Amino acid sequence: MSKNIALFDRAQKSIPAGVNSPVRAFRSVGGTPRFIQRAQGAYVWDANGKRYIDFVGSWGTAIVGHAHPDVIQAVTLAAKKGLSFGMPTEDEVELAEVLRRRLPSLELVRLVSSGTEATMSALRLARGFTGRNKIVKFEGCYHGHGDSLLVKAGSGMLTFGKPSSAGIPEGVANETIVLPYNDIDAARAMFDQCGRDIAAVIVEPIAGNMNMVKPKAGFLQGLRQLCDTFGTVLIFDEVMTGFRVHPHCAQGLYKITPDLTTLGKVIGGGMPVAAFGGKKEIMRHIAPLGDVYQAGTLSGNPVAVAAGLATLKLTEHAGFYEHLTATTEGLVRGLTQVAKLAGVPFSAQCEGGMFGIYFSESVPTSFEEIMACNVAHFNRFFNLLLNQEIHFAPSAFEAGFVSAAHNEEDIARTITIAKAAFEKIKQEE
Ligand SMILES: *Cc1c(COP(=O)(O)O)cnc(C)c1O
């Protein structure tokens, strides 16, 4: 019997659904999750020793490829010096400096251990700073699993068709206003109604948790203007897009300065590091400077910080993002071509090392258009590719990730196998 199946059976006896994060369970695509024994560069190996070309990339963290020797060396050296001190270190100062240099909007930045922690803390800070309770988020955007933010969130929640989580008090959910992504008129109308009650607008500057949706021209600028007019804190949640879509994140790409930014994924290079930061006048309200409490035993953990520093350093090599972008564009172009040849409605797009594939004629620009994509086609495509040792994210509502370790051969092989999959999908219709 497959070791993956045996492990999955065993896992379900001790862990809910056998996984420690819902989308890993393969509920929407069917079949058995691959239990990974190791990863290197662009590849992961499952429990049977089968090698897969990996387009999940630990959900975007593995931008330099898995187990890069520089990162492993940094982590090993750091581990030998002790795993955690609960006292400040030079490396965490350096990471904060690197983040500030790459992202000038971070006048002050605090390190935490997960994207969820970063967004929860940024929201609390925005509420403490403004003295207001309401927050605005957008349908299909995911900002971690904090109570206020788990209303009409994307990703795992979309995969399971649930608009919101159980267990969130009505009083909390009622303070969250959910608006359609890419609809600046809806945002204007809401601000006209209650703009002075809105503490923060939190947005993924490129949405990546309802599959990938880019901001329409004027959407982010419009939010910037509304927040300026009404004294609302604009939070860019760049946990996914940070150092993934551009050397200076989505805010550098679109040249818009948020008041606060949340980071995660890439900045830990596969270890638990995340951050929130921004304007000094706001960040000064964080304890112990101010009265908004936030803390963490493992915040700025030295081993994790070492991985983050080594990873970010690699992304500063000349041509890093050009190469990453070219590889990702090659994948997107190739997939689009072979789908067209096969006659399957399909589209795709990318930014830096992040991409979206859609079983629809044109690239979606809204949550509704994402929901109208052909999920059955996606699920078939996913499984056909997985059987040929290519691992896409196991949900039609996730973005995909390419790393600097993916080479032309990996992309060519993926396109060849995708071509056969599209042809099969067409035949089966
Ligand atoms: C992944 C993600 C989060 C949550 O980060 P965790 O580290 O999983 O808690 C928050 N926001 C966005 C945009 C993300 O993609």
Side-chain angles (χ1 to χ4, degrees):
M1 184 173 54
S2 150
K3 284 190 185 163
N4 294 306
I5 294 174
L7 278 170
F8 197 35
D9 285 346
R10 184 175 145 205
Q12 287 173 76
K13 297 191 175 86
S14 299
I15 303 171
V19 293
N20 284 312
S21 199
V23 178
R24 294 180 200 170
F26 273 38
R27 288 272 165 113
S28 61
V29 289
T32 307
R34 302 309 190 254
F35 281 68
I36 302 306
Q37 13 168 306
R38 71 186 180 96
Q40 184 68 58
Y43 315 115
V44 294
W45 282 261
D46 74 4
N48 295 321
K50 239 191 199 187
R51 190 192 85 168
Y52 299 79
I53 301 174
D54 176 24
F55 292 105
V56 181
S58 181
W59 301 97
T61 67
I63 196 162
V64 298
H66 293 287
H68 190 287
D70 289 11
V71 179
I72 298 302
Q73 189 189 23
V75 166
T76 310
L77 284 174
K80 284 181 179 157
K81 295 182 196 164
L83 298 183
S84 172
F85 315 123
M87 296 177 208
T89 63
E90 182 173 346
D91 275 2
E92 61 192 314
V93 180
E94 192 181 333
L95 181 53
E97 288 167 353
V98 169
L99 294 176
R100 288 188 57 216
R101 178 160 47 73
R102 293 277 291 270
L103 214 50
S105 73
L106 301 181
E107 293 172 6
L108 287 172
V109 57
R110 185 164 272 180
L111 301 182
V112 294
S113 301
S114 73
T116 294
E117 246 188 288
T119 55
M120 276 170 38
S121 307
L123 269 196
R124 183 181 305 138
L125 175 59
R127 283 170 161 157
F129 172 73
T130 56
R132 305 172 182 176
N133 286 334
K134 290 205 184 304
I135 58 155
V136 165
K137 77 174 285 288
F138 297 92
E139 198 171 13
C141 283
Y142 176 69
H143 304 290
H145 60 90
D147 281 355
S148 300
L149 292 164
L150 219 44
V151 182
K152 295 209 178 175
S155 202
M157 316 268 304
L158 285 183
T159 305
F160 307 121
K162 289 190 187 122
S164 293
S165 170
I168 294 174
E170 225 173 274
V172 173
N174 285 344
E175 301 292 359
T176 303
I177 299 167
V178 183
L179 297 177
Y181 193 83
N182 264 342
D183 184 346
I184 195 61
D185 292 335
R188 279 202 193 102
M190 185 54 68
F191 268 87
D192 282 340
Q193 238 181 69
C194 63
R196 298 276 162 207
D197 299 327
I198 301 172
V201 170
I202 186 166
V203 64
E204 289 181 72
I206 295 174
N209 286 286
M210 50 170 152
N211 202 330
M212 181 179 181
V213 177
K214 288 191 186 180
K216 281 187 187 163
F219 177 60
L220 298 173
Q221 286 87 343
L223 295 179
R224 180 64 279 176
Q225 282 163 4
L226 285 171
C227 287
D228 286 342
T229 305
F230 288 89
T232 296
V233 177
L234 179 62
I235 306 171
F236 274 10
D237 181 357
E238 299 229 40
V239 171
M240 183 180 287
T241 52
F243 308 109
R244 162 60 62 185
V245 299
H246 186 272
H248 308 294
C249 311
Q251 56 195 268
L253 175 66
Y254 297 118
K255 301 191 167 50
I256 299 167
T257 307
D259 300 308
L260 295 178
T261 300
T262 54
L263 295 164
K265 298 192 170 106
V266 166
I267 71 163
M271 296 282 275
V273 182
F276 67 101
K279 280 194 179 144
K280 240 184 222 163
E281 64 162 318
I282 304 175
M283 289 299 288
R284 267 205 302 258
H285 289 257
I286 283 285
L289 290 178
D291 53 8
V292 176
Y293 197 71
Q294 184 277 328
T297 302
L298 293 177
S299 293
N301 174 270
V303 185
V305 162
L309 274 174
T311 300
L312 287 174
K313 197 164 180 188
L314 286 163
T315 70
E316 285 176 15
H317 285 184
F320 180 89
Y321 285 95
E322 287 79 358
H323 169 75
L324 182 67
T325 300
T327 309
T328 316
E329 283 174 353
L331 175 69
V332 160
R333 205 178 323 116
L335 290 177
T336 311
Q337 273 167 3
V338 293
K340 192 163 186 184
L341 283 175
V344 174
F346 179 87
S347 53
Q349 65 174 343
C350 62
E351 194 68 61
M354 174 175 171
F355 65 90
I357 59 171
Y358 321 90
F359 284 84
S360 71
E361 287 291 353
S362 55
V363 166
T365 59
S366 69
F367 180 72
E368 281 72 34
E369 287 173 19
I370 285 286
M371 296 313 278
C373 291
N374 190 325
V375 177
H377 277 184
F378 172 82
N379 289 347
R380 189 75 182 115
F381 179 79
F382 168 83
N383 279 299
L384 287 167
L385 265 68
L386 189 70
N387 289 337
Q388 299 293 315
E389 287 137 50
I390 295 178
H391 206 316
F392 276 80
S395 163
F397 304 112
E398 302 288 353
F401 303 100
V402 168
S403 79
H406 287 76
N407 60 31
E408 276 174 32
E409 210 181 305
D410 299 323
I411 301 301
R413 184 173 141 73
T414 304
I415 292 165
T416 303
I417 288 167
K419 182 169 187 285
F422 285 126
E423 283 161 2
K424 189 140 201 193
I425 288 168
K426 184 69 185 177
Q427 264 173 27
E428 288 168 356
E429 267 184 344

